């Protein structure tokens, strides 16, 4: 397993998570029809990205999974710190 490849794909997994999170957050503000269509498109894009990664090497898959799994708890922790600091 190439360590640099795994780290790069972990960063990419993190970026995909944060992009999808931001897109869904923005879509929740739209009217219901646009929201449903936007969520479907976001889901298709995320599935396509995951499909491309599955075709790649094992180190890319492992790195992507690590990045995507570690990002949500870290993101929530950082958001809480911002709220506490802003209070």
């Amino acid at each position: 397993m190439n360590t640099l490849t795994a780290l790069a794909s972990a960063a990419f997994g993190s970026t995909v998570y944060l992009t999808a999170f931001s897109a869904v957050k923005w879509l929740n503000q739209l009217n219901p029809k646009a929201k449903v269509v936007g969520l479907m498109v976001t889901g298709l894009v995320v599935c396509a990205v995951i499909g491309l990664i599955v075709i790649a090497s094992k180190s890319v898959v492992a790195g992507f999974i690590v990045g995507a799994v570690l990002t949500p708890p870290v993101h929530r922790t950082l958001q809480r710190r911002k709220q506490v600091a802003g209070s």
Side-chain angles (χ1 to χ4, degrees):
M1 179 184 282
N2 185 349
T3 307
L4 187 58
T5 303
L7 287 174
S9 58
F12 182 68
S14 178
T15 303
V16 169
Y17 167 79
L18 292 173
T19 303
F21 180 79
S22 296
V24 170
K25 196 172 178 181
W26 176 74
L27 286 168
N28 279 332
Q29 299 172 0
L30 299 177
N31 65 36
K33 278 188 178 181
K35 180 178 171 180
V36 169
V37 171
L39 289 173
M40 288 173 41
V41 170
T42 302
L44 287 171
V45 169
V46 170
C47 286
V49 168
I50 291 171
L52 289 173
I53 289 169
V54 168
I55 295 171
S57 70
K58 290 179 183 175
S59 60
V60 173
V61 172
F64 182 81
I65 290 170
V66 167
V69 168
L70 291 179
T71 301
V74 172
H75 185 247
R76 282 192 298 270
T77 303
L78 292 175
Q79 292 295 3
R80 284 187 202 129
R81 286 186 183 172
K82 277 186 187 178
Q83 291 172 353
V84 171
S87 297

